[in-house]
């Protein structure tokens, strides 16, 4: 099953379906159990959680690119600067510090009243459950690099099913804090088992996880440049995708613009997960073709990946036109409405996003972080400016104007990424 791209794609898509169900279930449940003001604060918590999760600066992508080269034997000629097992321990240390820092910031925000809620324990537990996606991401990418994609997806499917059941149990009367605490326990057990699989497959010893001096020295000597480019790219991407939550909150107290963007954000996440599943199923072959210098095979695989991504985007766009209004109404419990213009703008943004996702996932797997950084800067600028420009130029049409500027930004960035993919395929010839 690991060797079949079709089977791997199917199980990844099944997992994506569970992730999407969980994401929508979070909104569906909490919009019903929280007052509207609490739910708006909860959306800001979700945005901060997304920011913290993404703030691993793409280090797991670097690990994937380096470990994949090592696994395929491409590090043989550069053994001294190649992958070392001690790198895993350094990465885990960094992720632990990142989670600790995020929790401290959240506690300060709650204590100072920056994030107002009558249920601080629930917010803290939910944030911790979101942060566990950091070690989960490391386990996923490390297993994928050593041809363990299927194992991870099966484990993650189990985790998702259990957490969705616990989430929906809140509507049946289960205390939300207990539900989220149990979800934490399930995630810790599954992720711990996955990390143990990585440990065994790489034939690691316990000392490798704690050799911070050796691993840190190797990282410092050989790939600080990659870390810098990856960190800058990741920060740029995080801000670009999440900034509208905060700029909208600063621009207006009306809930509708925030709910519109949250709806787009959920649609974009759904599409990006589908595209990621398709691309990741093809990545073992794409990376083999690239490192072997097999140009025709690489172009064939990239063409298929783009075609599948656009197929998903067109399908999602059509579905939104048919059921978007109904879905928006049900998702937000009738607290706002969405119009045809806004649905069309979201459709345009999704088509552009499909191209961007293929480029980002493939080039990150190949370690091309400096190029990704350059491509992310126009997106960052457009995301930061879209809300204030819409507010100042078209205040009476603020909602639609913001979405138009955001969608236009994505379209421009997609064109730049398409050029990058074309150059990538021309580089490899045989």
């Amino acid at each position: 099953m690991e060797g079949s791209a079709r089977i791997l794609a199917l199980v990844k898509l099944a997992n994506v379906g569970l992730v999407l169900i969980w994401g929508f279930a979070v909104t569906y449940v909490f919009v019903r159990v929280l007052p509207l003001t609490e739910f708006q604060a909860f959306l800001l918590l979700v945005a901060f959680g997304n920011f913290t999760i993404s703030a691993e600066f793409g280090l797991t992508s670097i690990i994937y690119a380096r470990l994949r080269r090592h696994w395929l034997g491409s590090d043989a000629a550069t053994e001294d600067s190649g992958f070392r097992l001690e790198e895993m321990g350094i990465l885990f240390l960094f992720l632990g510090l990142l989670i600790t820092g995020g929790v401290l910031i959240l506690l300060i925000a709650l204590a100072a009243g920056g994030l107002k809620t009558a249920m601080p324990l629930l917010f803290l537990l939910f944030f911790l459950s979101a942060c566990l996606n950091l070690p989960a991401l490391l386990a996923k990418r490390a297993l994928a690099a050593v041809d363990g994609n299927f194992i991870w997806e099966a484990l993650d499917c189990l985790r998702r099913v259990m957490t969705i059941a616990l989430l929906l149990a809140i509507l049946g009367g289960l205390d939300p804090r207990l539900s989220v605490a149990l979800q934490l326990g399930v995630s810790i057990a599954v992720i711990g088992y996955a990390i143990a699989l990585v440990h065994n497959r790489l034939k690691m010893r316990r000392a490798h996880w704690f050799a911070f001096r050796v691993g840190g020295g190797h990282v410092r000597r050989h790939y600080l440049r990659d870390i810098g480019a990856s960190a800058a790219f990741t920060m740029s991407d995080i801000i670009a995708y999440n900034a509208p939550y905060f700029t909208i909150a600063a621009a207006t107290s009306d809930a509708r613009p925030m709910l519109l963007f949250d709806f787009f954000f959920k649609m974009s996440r759904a599409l990006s997960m589908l595209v990621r599943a398709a691309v990741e199923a093809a990545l073992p072959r794409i990376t083999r073709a690239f490192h072997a210098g097999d140009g025709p095979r690489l172009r064939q695989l990239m063409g298929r990946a783009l075609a599948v991504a656009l197929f998903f985007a067109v399908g999602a766009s059509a579905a939104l036109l048919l059921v978007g209004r109904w879905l928006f109404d049900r998702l937000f419990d009738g607290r706002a409405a969405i119009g045809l213009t806004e649905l069309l703008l979201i459709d345009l943004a999704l088509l552009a996003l499909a191209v961007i996702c293929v480029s980002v996932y493939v080039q990150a797997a190949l370690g091309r972080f400096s190029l990704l950084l350059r491509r992310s800067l126009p997106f960052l600028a457009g995301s930061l400016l879209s809300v204030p420009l819409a507010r100042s130029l078209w205040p009476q049409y603020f909602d639609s104007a913001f979405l138009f500027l955001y969608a236009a930004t994505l379209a421009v960035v997609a064109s730049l990424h398409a050029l990058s993919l074309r150059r990538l395929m021309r580089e490899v010839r045989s």
Side-chain angles (χ1 to χ4, degrees), residues 22-67:
W22 185 87
F24 281 102
V26 166
T27 299
Y28 185 86
V29 169
F30 284 106
V31 79
R32 284 162 173 77
V33 299
L34 298 177
L36 182 57
T37 54
E38 286 278 353
F39 183 67
Q40 285 181 266
F42 183 76
L43 289 180
L44 291 178
L45 175 74
V46 171
F48 180 57
N50 293 335
F51 183 91
T52 305
I53 294 165
S54 302
E56 48 94 18
F57 303 128
L59 286 181
T60 55
S61 295
I62 294 176
I63 287 291
Y64 174 86
R66 291 174 60 80
L67 181 54

Short mmCIF file of all heavy atoms in Angstrom, two decimals, residues 22-67:
data_model
loop_
_atom_site.label_atom_id
_atom_site.label_comp_id
_atom_site.label_asym_id
_atom_site.label_seq_id
_atom_site.Cartn_x
_atom_site.Cartn_y
_atom_site.Cartn_z
N TRP A 22 -13.60 17.62 11.45
CA TRP A 22 -13.21 18.14 12.76
C TRP A 22 -13.22 19.67 12.76
O TRP A 22 -13.75 20.30 13.69
CB TRP A 22 -11.83 17.61 13.14
CG TRP A 22 -11.43 18.01 14.54
CD1 TRP A 22 -11.71 17.35 15.69
CD2 TRP A 22 -10.70 19.18 14.93
NE1 TRP A 22 -11.20 18.03 16.77
CE2 TRP A 22 -10.58 19.14 16.34
CE3 TRP A 22 -10.13 20.23 14.22
CZ2 TRP A 22 -9.91 20.14 17.04
CZ3 TRP A 22 -9.48 21.23 14.92
CH2 TRP A 22 -9.36 21.18 16.32
N GLY A 23 -12.65 20.28 11.72
CA GLY A 23 -12.60 21.73 11.66
C GLY A 23 -13.98 22.37 11.64
O GLY A 23 -14.24 23.34 12.36
N PHE A 24 -14.88 21.82 10.83
CA PHE A 24 -16.23 22.35 10.78
C PHE A 24 -16.99 22.03 12.07
O PHE A 24 -17.81 22.82 12.53
CB PHE A 24 -16.98 21.79 9.58
CG PHE A 24 -16.61 22.47 8.28
CD1 PHE A 24 -15.74 21.87 7.39
CD2 PHE A 24 -17.11 23.72 7.98
CE1 PHE A 24 -15.39 22.51 6.21
CE2 PHE A 24 -16.78 24.37 6.81
CZ PHE A 24 -15.91 23.77 5.91
N ALA A 25 -16.70 20.87 12.66
CA ALA A 25 -17.38 20.50 13.90
C ALA A 25 -16.99 21.45 15.04
O ALA A 25 -17.83 21.77 15.90
CB ALA A 25 -17.03 19.06 14.28
N VAL A 26 -15.74 21.92 15.04
CA VAL A 26 -15.32 22.88 16.07
C VAL A 26 -16.20 24.12 16.00
O VAL A 26 -16.72 24.59 17.02
CB VAL A 26 -13.83 23.25 15.88
CG1 VAL A 26 -13.48 24.49 16.71
CG2 VAL A 26 -12.94 22.09 16.29
N THR A 27 -16.37 24.66 14.78
CA THR A 27 -17.22 25.84 14.62
C THR A 27 -18.68 25.51 14.95
O THR A 27 -19.36 26.26 15.67
CB THR A 27 -17.12 26.39 13.19
OG1 THR A 27 -15.77 26.76 12.93
CG2 THR A 27 -18.03 27.59 12.99
N TYR A 28 -19.16 24.40 14.43
CA TYR A 28 -20.56 24.01 14.63
C TYR A 28 -20.90 23.85 16.11
O TYR A 28 -21.96 24.27 16.56
CB TYR A 28 -20.83 22.69 13.89
CG TYR A 28 -22.27 22.24 13.91
CD1 TYR A 28 -23.17 22.70 12.96
CD2 TYR A 28 -22.73 21.36 14.88
CE1 TYR A 28 -24.50 22.29 12.97
CE2 TYR A 28 -24.05 20.95 14.91
CZ TYR A 28 -24.93 21.41 13.96
OH TYR A 28 -26.24 21.01 13.98
N VAL A 29 -19.98 23.26 16.85
CA VAL A 29 -20.23 23.02 18.27
C VAL A 29 -20.08 24.30 19.08
O VAL A 29 -20.98 24.69 19.85
CB VAL A 29 -19.28 21.92 18.81
CG1 VAL A 29 -19.35 21.85 20.34
CG2 VAL A 29 -19.62 20.58 18.20
N PHE A 30 -18.95 24.99 18.91
CA PHE A 30 -18.67 26.12 19.79
C PHE A 30 -19.52 27.35 19.50
O PHE A 30 -19.76 28.16 20.40
CB PHE A 30 -17.18 26.45 19.78
CG PHE A 30 -16.35 25.48 20.56
CD1 PHE A 30 -15.56 24.54 19.92
CD2 PHE A 30 -16.39 25.49 21.95
CE1 PHE A 30 -14.80 23.63 20.65
CE2 PHE A 30 -15.63 24.59 22.68
CZ PHE A 30 -14.84 23.65 22.04
N VAL A 31 -19.99 27.51 18.25
CA VAL A 31 -20.88 28.63 17.97
C VAL A 31 -22.22 28.42 18.65
O VAL A 31 -22.99 29.38 18.88
CB VAL A 31 -21.07 28.82 16.44
CG1 VAL A 31 -22.06 27.83 15.87
CG2 VAL A 31 -21.52 30.26 16.14
N ARG A 32 -22.52 27.18 19.03
CA ARG A 32 -23.78 26.86 19.70
C ARG A 32 -23.67 26.83 21.22
O ARG A 32 -24.66 27.01 21.92
CB ARG A 32 -24.32 25.51 19.19
CG ARG A 32 -24.93 25.63 17.80
CD ARG A 32 -25.06 24.31 17.09
NE ARG A 32 -25.80 24.48 15.83
CZ ARG A 32 -25.27 24.98 14.72
NH1 ARG A 32 -24.00 25.37 14.71
NH2 ARG A 32 -26.01 25.13 13.63
N VAL A 33 -22.47 26.58 21.73
CA VAL A 33 -22.33 26.49 23.19
C VAL A 33 -21.72 27.76 23.79
O VAL A 33 -21.72 27.91 25.01
CB VAL A 33 -21.48 25.26 23.60
CG1 VAL A 33 -22.13 23.99 23.13
CG2 VAL A 33 -20.05 25.37 23.08
N LEU A 34 -21.21 28.66 22.94
CA LEU A 34 -20.63 29.91 23.43
C LEU A 34 -21.50 31.10 23.03
O LEU A 34 -22.06 31.11 21.93
CB LEU A 34 -19.22 30.11 22.86
CG LEU A 34 -18.14 29.08 23.20
CD1 LEU A 34 -16.85 29.42 22.48
CD2 LEU A 34 -17.92 29.00 24.70
N PRO A 35 -21.59 32.13 23.87
CA PRO A 35 -22.23 33.38 23.45
C PRO A 35 -21.45 33.99 22.28
O PRO A 35 -20.26 33.69 22.09
CB PRO A 35 -22.13 34.27 24.70
CG PRO A 35 -21.91 33.32 25.83
CD PRO A 35 -21.15 32.15 25.26
N LEU A 36 -22.08 34.87 21.49
CA LEU A 36 -21.44 35.40 20.29
C LEU A 36 -20.13 36.12 20.60
O LEU A 36 -19.14 35.95 19.88
CB LEU A 36 -22.40 36.36 19.56
CG LEU A 36 -21.87 36.95 18.24
CD1 LEU A 36 -21.50 35.84 17.26
CD2 LEU A 36 -22.90 37.89 17.63
N THR A 37 -20.11 36.92 21.69
CA THR A 37 -18.86 37.62 22.03
C THR A 37 -17.76 36.63 22.40
O THR A 37 -16.59 36.83 22.05
CB THR A 37 -19.10 38.59 23.20
OG1 THR A 37 -19.69 37.88 24.30
CG2 THR A 37 -20.01 39.73 22.77
N GLU A 38 -18.12 35.56 23.11
CA GLU A 38 -17.14 34.52 23.45
C GLU A 38 -16.66 33.81 22.18
O GLU A 38 -15.49 33.47 22.06
CB GLU A 38 -17.76 33.50 24.41
CG GLU A 38 -17.91 34.00 25.83
CD GLU A 38 -16.62 33.88 26.62
OE1 GLU A 38 -15.64 33.30 26.12
OE2 GLU A 38 -16.59 34.38 27.76
N PHE A 39 -17.59 33.58 21.23
CA PHE A 39 -17.20 32.89 20.00
C PHE A 39 -16.25 33.74 19.17
O PHE A 39 -15.33 33.21 18.54
CB PHE A 39 -18.45 32.53 19.19
CG PHE A 39 -18.14 31.75 17.93
CD1 PHE A 39 -17.63 30.47 18.00
CD2 PHE A 39 -18.32 32.32 16.68
CE1 PHE A 39 -17.33 29.75 16.86
CE2 PHE A 39 -18.03 31.62 15.53
CZ PHE A 39 -17.53 30.33 15.62
N GLN A 40 -16.47 35.07 19.14
CA GLN A 40 -15.53 35.94 18.43
C GLN A 40 -14.15 35.86 19.07
O GLN A 40 -13.13 35.82 18.37
CB GLN A 40 -16.05 37.38 18.44
CG GLN A 40 -17.21 37.63 17.48
CD GLN A 40 -17.68 39.07 17.50
OE1 GLN A 40 -18.61 39.42 18.21
NE2 GLN A 40 -17.02 39.90 16.73
N ALA A 41 -14.09 35.83 20.39
CA ALA A 41 -12.81 35.67 21.08
C ALA A 41 -12.20 34.30 20.77
O ALA A 41 -10.99 34.15 20.62
CB ALA A 41 -12.99 35.84 22.59
N PHE A 42 -13.07 33.29 20.66
CA PHE A 42 -12.61 31.94 20.34
C PHE A 42 -11.98 31.90 18.95
O PHE A 42 -10.97 31.22 18.73
CB PHE A 42 -13.79 30.98 20.41
CG PHE A 42 -13.43 29.54 20.16
CD1 PHE A 42 -12.80 28.78 21.13
CD2 PHE A 42 -13.71 28.94 18.94
CE1 PHE A 42 -12.46 27.46 20.91
CE2 PHE A 42 -13.39 27.62 18.70
CZ PHE A 42 -12.75 26.87 19.69
N LEU A 43 -12.54 32.65 17.98
CA LEU A 43 -11.96 32.71 16.64
C LEU A 43 -10.56 33.33 16.67
O LEU A 43 -9.66 32.90 15.93
CB LEU A 43 -12.86 33.50 15.69
CG LEU A 43 -14.18 32.84 15.28
CD1 LEU A 43 -14.96 33.76 14.35
CD2 LEU A 43 -13.93 31.49 14.61
N LEU A 44 -10.38 34.34 17.53
CA LEU A 44 -9.04 34.92 17.68
C LEU A 44 -8.09 33.90 18.29
O LEU A 44 -6.91 33.84 17.91
CB LEU A 44 -9.11 36.17 18.56
CG LEU A 44 -9.83 37.39 17.95
CD1 LEU A 44 -9.86 38.53 18.96
CD2 LEU A 44 -9.15 37.83 16.66
N LEU A 45 -8.58 33.09 19.23
CA LEU A 45 -7.75 32.03 19.81
C LEU A 45 -7.34 31.03 18.73
O LEU A 45 -6.19 30.59 18.67
CB LEU A 45 -8.51 31.31 20.92
CG LEU A 45 -7.79 30.10 21.53
CD1 LEU A 45 -6.66 30.55 22.43
CD2 LEU A 45 -8.76 29.22 22.32
N VAL A 46 -8.28 30.67 17.86
CA VAL A 46 -7.98 29.75 16.76
C VAL A 46 -6.91 30.34 15.85
O VAL A 46 -5.97 29.65 15.44
CB VAL A 46 -9.26 29.42 15.96
CG1 VAL A 46 -8.92 28.65 14.69
CG2 VAL A 46 -10.24 28.62 16.82
N ALA A 47 -7.04 31.64 15.55
CA ALA A 47 -6.04 32.30 14.70
C ALA A 47 -4.67 32.29 15.38
O ALA A 47 -3.65 32.04 14.73
CB ALA A 47 -6.47 33.74 14.41
N PHE A 48 -4.64 32.55 16.70
CA PHE A 48 -3.37 32.51 17.43
C PHE A 48 -2.80 31.10 17.45
O PHE A 48 -1.59 30.89 17.34
CB PHE A 48 -3.56 33.03 18.86
CG PHE A 48 -2.30 33.03 19.67
CD1 PHE A 48 -1.18 33.73 19.25
CD2 PHE A 48 -2.21 32.32 20.86
CE1 PHE A 48 -0.01 33.72 19.99
CE2 PHE A 48 -1.07 32.32 21.62
CZ PHE A 48 0.05 33.02 21.18
N GLY A 49 -3.69 30.11 17.57
CA GLY A 49 -3.25 28.72 17.51
C GLY A 49 -2.64 28.39 16.15
O GLY A 49 -1.59 27.73 16.07
N ASN A 50 -3.29 28.87 15.08
CA ASN A 50 -2.73 28.66 13.73
C ASN A 50 -1.37 29.31 13.60
O ASN A 50 -0.44 28.75 12.99
CB ASN A 50 -3.68 29.23 12.68
CG ASN A 50 -4.99 28.48 12.60
OD1 ASN A 50 -5.06 27.30 12.95
ND2 ASN A 50 -6.03 29.15 12.16
N PHE A 51 -1.25 30.52 14.16
CA PHE A 51 0.02 31.23 14.13
C PHE A 51 1.10 30.43 14.84
O PHE A 51 2.22 30.27 14.33
CB PHE A 51 -0.16 32.60 14.79
CG PHE A 51 1.07 33.46 14.76
CD1 PHE A 51 1.29 34.34 13.72
CD2 PHE A 51 2.00 33.40 15.78
CE1 PHE A 51 2.43 35.13 13.69
CE2 PHE A 51 3.14 34.18 15.76
CZ PHE A 51 3.36 35.06 14.72
N THR A 52 0.79 29.91 16.03
CA THR A 52 1.77 29.17 16.82
C THR A 52 2.18 27.88 16.12
O THR A 52 3.36 27.52 16.08
CB THR A 52 1.20 28.85 18.21
OG1 THR A 52 0.77 30.08 18.83
CG2 THR A 52 2.24 28.18 19.08
N ILE A 53 1.19 27.17 15.56
CA ILE A 53 1.48 25.92 14.86
C ILE A 53 2.41 26.17 13.68
O ILE A 53 3.36 25.42 13.43
CB ILE A 53 0.18 25.26 14.39
CG1 ILE A 53 -0.65 24.81 15.58
CG2 ILE A 53 0.48 24.06 13.49
CD1 ILE A 53 -2.09 24.47 15.23
N SER A 54 2.14 27.25 12.95
CA SER A 54 2.95 27.55 11.77
C SER A 54 4.31 28.11 12.13
O SER A 54 5.20 28.15 11.28
CB SER A 54 2.20 28.54 10.87
OG SER A 54 0.96 28.03 10.48
N ALA A 55 4.47 28.57 13.38
CA ALA A 55 5.72 29.21 13.78
C ALA A 55 6.84 28.23 14.05
O ALA A 55 7.84 28.58 14.67
CB ALA A 55 5.49 30.07 15.01
N GLU A 56 6.70 26.98 13.58
CA GLU A 56 7.85 26.07 13.62
C GLU A 56 8.83 26.42 12.50
O GLU A 56 9.86 25.77 12.32
CB GLU A 56 7.41 24.61 13.53
CG GLU A 56 6.40 24.29 12.44
CD GLU A 56 7.08 23.81 11.15
OE1 GLU A 56 8.23 23.40 11.20
OE2 GLU A 56 6.41 23.86 10.12
N PHE A 57 8.49 27.52 11.76
CA PHE A 57 9.39 28.10 10.77
C PHE A 57 9.77 27.14 9.65
O PHE A 57 10.81 27.30 9.02
CB PHE A 57 10.66 28.63 11.44
CG PHE A 57 10.40 29.65 12.50
CD1 PHE A 57 10.94 29.52 13.76
CD2 PHE A 57 9.58 30.73 12.24
CE1 PHE A 57 10.69 30.46 14.74
CE2 PHE A 57 9.32 31.68 13.22
CZ PHE A 57 9.89 31.54 14.48
N GLY A 58 8.92 26.14 9.43
CA GLY A 58 9.20 25.21 8.34
C GLY A 58 10.32 24.24 8.62
O GLY A 58 10.82 23.58 7.70
N LEU A 59 10.72 24.12 9.88
CA LEU A 59 11.84 23.22 10.20
C LEU A 59 11.49 21.78 9.90
O LEU A 59 12.37 20.99 9.52
CB LEU A 59 12.24 23.36 11.67
CG LEU A 59 13.02 24.63 12.03
CD1 LEU A 59 13.37 24.63 13.50
CD2 LEU A 59 14.29 24.74 11.20
N THR A 60 10.23 21.40 10.04
CA THR A 60 9.86 20.03 9.70
C THR A 60 9.98 19.79 8.20
O THR A 60 10.27 18.68 7.77
CB THR A 60 8.43 19.72 10.17
OG1 THR A 60 7.51 20.67 9.64
CG2 THR A 60 8.34 19.72 11.69
N SER A 61 9.78 20.84 7.41
CA SER A 61 9.99 20.71 5.96
C SER A 61 11.47 20.53 5.64
O SER A 61 11.84 19.77 4.75
CB SER A 61 9.45 21.95 5.24
OG SER A 61 8.05 22.05 5.37
N ILE A 62 12.32 21.26 6.38
CA ILE A 62 13.77 21.10 6.19
C ILE A 62 14.18 19.68 6.55
O ILE A 62 14.96 19.03 5.83
CB ILE A 62 14.54 22.12 7.06
CG1 ILE A 62 14.25 23.54 6.57
CG2 ILE A 62 16.04 21.85 7.00
CD1 ILE A 62 14.89 24.61 7.43
N ILE A 63 13.66 19.19 7.68
CA ILE A 63 13.98 17.82 8.09
C ILE A 63 13.54 16.83 7.01
O ILE A 63 14.25 15.89 6.67
CB ILE A 63 13.32 17.49 9.44
CG1 ILE A 63 14.05 18.22 10.57
CG2 ILE A 63 13.29 15.99 9.70
CD1 ILE A 63 15.45 17.70 10.83
N TYR A 64 12.33 17.04 6.47
CA TYR A 64 11.85 16.13 5.42
C TYR A 64 12.80 16.15 4.23
O TYR A 64 13.20 15.08 3.72
CB TYR A 64 10.44 16.52 4.96
CG TYR A 64 9.97 15.70 3.78
CD1 TYR A 64 9.36 14.47 3.97
CD2 TYR A 64 10.20 16.12 2.47
CE1 TYR A 64 8.96 13.69 2.89
CE2 TYR A 64 9.80 15.34 1.38
CZ TYR A 64 9.18 14.13 1.60
OH TYR A 64 8.81 13.37 0.53
N ALA A 65 13.16 17.35 3.75
CA ALA A 65 14.02 17.45 2.57
C ALA A 65 15.37 16.79 2.81
O ALA A 65 15.89 16.05 1.96
CB ALA A 65 14.20 18.92 2.18
N ARG A 66 15.96 17.02 4.00
CA ARG A 66 17.28 16.46 4.30
C ARG A 66 17.20 14.95 4.55
O ARG A 66 18.03 14.18 4.05
CB ARG A 66 17.88 17.16 5.52
CG ARG A 66 18.26 18.61 5.24
CD ARG A 66 18.70 19.32 6.52
NE ARG A 66 19.85 18.66 7.13
CZ ARG A 66 21.10 18.83 6.73
NH1 ARG A 66 21.38 19.59 5.70
NH2 ARG A 66 22.09 18.20 7.35
N LEU A 67 16.20 14.53 5.33
CA LEU A 67 16.06 13.10 5.64
C LEU A 67 15.70 12.32 4.38
O LEU A 67 16.15 11.17 4.21
CB LEU A 67 15.01 12.91 6.73
CG LEU A 67 14.76 11.47 7.20
CD1 LEU A 67 16.05 10.80 7.64
CD2 LEU A 67 13.74 11.47 8.35
#
